[in-house]
Amino acid sequence: MKEQTIDRIRRFTEDRDWDQFHSPANLAKSISIEANELLECFQWSDDDYDIQHVKEELADVLVYCRNMLDKLGLDEDEIVNMKMEQNEAKYPVSKAKGKSDKYSDL
Amino acid sequence: MKEQTIDRIRRFTEDRDWDQFHSPANLAKSISIEANELLECFQWSDDDYDIQHVKEELADVLVYCRNMLDKLGLDEDEIVNMKMEQNEAKYPVSKAKGKSDKYSDL
Amino acid sequence: MKEQTIDRIRRFTEDRDWDQFHSPANLAKSISIEANELLECFQWSDDDYDIQHVKEELADVLVYCRNMLDKLGLDEDEIVNMKMEQNEAKYPVSKAKGKSDKYSDL
Amino acid sequence: MKEQTIDRIRRFTEDRDWDQFHSPANLAKSISIEANELLECFQWSDDDYDIQHVKEELADVLVYCRNMLDKLGLDEDEIVNMKMEQNEAKYPVSKAKGKSDKYSDL
């Protein structure tokens, strides 16, 4: 996300004095709630979805994730790279290629 | 997210030939599943959470969001700015300041 | 659910002195968390699921729903019938038959 | 749930010819979606919730759980008792009393 977009999200919260509601726990609930509004786009069909609706709900998930990164003072690239390192170790190409099994079943 | 981090996520999927599993519907399920692993960090307490665990689960949400952006050919900044414009209109500062009400109740 | 099964769930909570953790909000989180462990059974495939795993996760959802009914002093049949009355009005057979549209789109 | 309530739920689905949409995977998504509408009642506050809204959303979760039990031919008491047996073993009173730790941390 560009710095300008991040700033817009931060200003939105500040202007409304909403930081008081953004406890990490409330943001975790919010990410799940928005993730399920996204899931609702696919509730009865995998293929027949409204792309505009998908964009809006995915954006909502991303905004709350950004709020949480900010709240906890986390760097997105740092935590994603830390997790990708774990994932690369848990799912070695030789074992995981072409398979959707969980690492514990590989 | 930096281009380098995005590339790492893409390579991870490609190397494992996992694009076949990444239908938008499956990614929507995955975002919700990971969002709930994040929520589990706060299941019984708002304050007593394991920050390392939070980082890992938030990273998982972000990785699946990136997978979905890629799958649908979406630009993160574009959809977030589009949604922020909607949010700014739905929650005018004059009405929403200091309140956690849903826009329909403002 | 039979009275005997309900009693077993209540005794389980009492014996462990867990009522203190069962705020309505924590139970709502728990229902969502378990619902997503159920969803995980279908993460990458609609058809290739482990029925034993499905049974266990669905049971977990039902147990937390029972905890919430108890916590709030609700009668399951009463709230389900109240909601079914709403659903029957929102989705008249003449309009909804054979369609998966949301009532607002019918 | 009383047999009469269960019948009402079944008739609702049959009258609308909706069984075609009720794959186990779609019902798992639906349970998660409704669980998150329930969670939304507690998004910004643990205590200041609308009890009527809570009743409606909890009822929706229960209805979709009933749909899934029916779809898979499962007996609610059987699966709940099976799971409670597992829970009783995973959380012995002597270790779990008064603690909200996950069994793997006890």
Side-chain angles (χ1 to χ4, degrees), chain A residues 2 5 16 77 88 91 98, chain B residues 2 5 8 16 77 91 98:
Chain A
K2 285 179 189 148
T5 311
R16 283 153 192 77
D77 288 279
E88 287 157 6
Y91 295 94
Chain B
K2 284 180 189 148
T5 311
R8 187 175 188 168
R16 282 153 193 79
D77 289 278
Y91 295 95

Side-chain angles (χ1 to χ4, degrees), chain B residues 63-79:
Chain B
V63 169
Y64 278 126
C65 285
R66 167 46 54 190
N67 288 150
M68 189 176 253
L69 289 165
D70 279 355
K71 190 68 185 191
L72 296 171
L74 302 174
D75 181 84
E76 184 180 28
D77 289 278
E78 197 180 301
I79 67 166

Side-chain angles (χ1 to χ4, degrees), chain C residues 1-2 5 8 12 16 18 21 32 36 56 60 76-77 81 83-84 86 88 91 96 98-99, chain D residues 1-2 5 8 12 16 18 21 32 36 56 60 76-77 81 83-84 86 88 91 96 98-99:
Chain C
M1 214 183 274
K2 285 180 190 148
T5 311
R8 186 174 187 169
F12 181 81
R16 282 153 194 78
W18 280 0
F21 305 121
S32 173
N36 276 273
E56 292 171 9
D60 278 334
E76 183 182 27
D77 289 279
N81 277 294
K83 193 52 171 57
M84 288 308 295
Q86 293 181 10
E88 287 157 6
Y91 294 95
K99 291 187 217 156
Chain D
M1 214 182 275
K2 284 178 190 151
T5 310
R8 187 175 187 168
F12 181 81
R16 282 151 193 79
W18 279 0
F21 305 121
S32 174
N36 276 273
E56 292 172 9
D60 278 335
E76 184 181 29
D77 289 278
N81 276 295
K83 193 53 172 57
M84 288 308 294
Q86 292 181 11
E88 288 157 6
Y91 294 95
K99 291 190 215 152

Side-chain angles (χ1 to χ4, degrees), chain A residues 22-82:
Chain A
H22 286 189
S23 66
N26 286 355
L27 292 172
K29 284 182 264 176
S30 301
I31 293 170
S32 174
I33 291 165
E34 296 300 338
N36 275 273
E37 296 188 3
L38 176 59
L39 185 61
E40 202 184 349
C41 298
F42 305 94
Q43 187 172 10
W44 304 116
S45 167
D46 281 14
D47 305 309
D48 184 23
Y49 52 86
D50 175 342
I51 185 71
Q52 174 58 20
H53 198 184
V54 168
K55 284 182 194 179
E56 292 172 9
E57 302 303 344
L58 179 54
D60 278 334
V61 175
L62 288 164
V63 169
Y64 278 126
C65 285
R66 168 46 56 188
N67 289 150
M68 188 175 254
L69 289 165
D70 279 355
K71 190 67 184 193
L72 295 171
L74 302 175
D75 180 84
E76 184 182 28
D77 288 279
E78 197 180 303
I79 66 166
V80 168
N81 276 295
M82 177 267 293

Side-chain angles (χ1 to χ4, degrees), chain D:
Chain D
M1 214 182 275
K2 284 178 190 151
E3 212 48 49
Q4 211 185 335
T5 310
I6 295 177
D7 281 346
R8 187 175 187 168
I9 295 173
R10 288 177 181 158
R11 229 175 18 247
F12 181 81
T13 301
E14 276 168 32
D15 287 351
R16 282 151 193 79
D17 197 15
W18 279 0
D19 184 65
Q20 59 183 309
F21 305 121
H22 286 189
S23 66
N26 286 355
L27 292 172
K29 284 182 265 176
S30 302
I31 293 170
S32 174
I33 291 165
E34 296 300 338
N36 276 273
E37 296 188 1
L38 176 59
L39 185 61
E40 202 184 350
C41 299
F42 304 93
Q43 186 171 10
W44 305 116
S45 167
D46 281 15
D47 305 310
D48 184 23
Y49 52 86
D50 174 342
I51 184 71
Q52 174 59 20
H53 198 183
V54 169
K55 283 182 195 180
E56 292 172 9
E57 302 303 344
L58 180 54
D60 278 335
V61 175
L62 288 163
V63 169
Y64 277 126
C65 284
R66 168 44 56 188
N67 288 150
M68 188 175 253
L69 290 165
D70 279 355
K71 190 67 183 191
L72 296 172
L74 302 175
D75 181 84
E76 184 181 29
D77 289 278
E78 197 179 303
I79 67 166
V80 168
N81 276 295
M82 176 268 293
K83 193 53 172 57
M84 288 308 294
E85 204 165 309
Q86 292 181 11
N87 292 351
E88 288 157 6
K90 286 203 294 193
Y91 294 95
V93 175
S94 60
K95 284 191 181 176
K97 193 162 187 176
K99 291 190 215 152
S100 64
D101 298 298
K102 211 172 174 173
Y103 67 95
S104 44
D105 295 329
L106 281 176

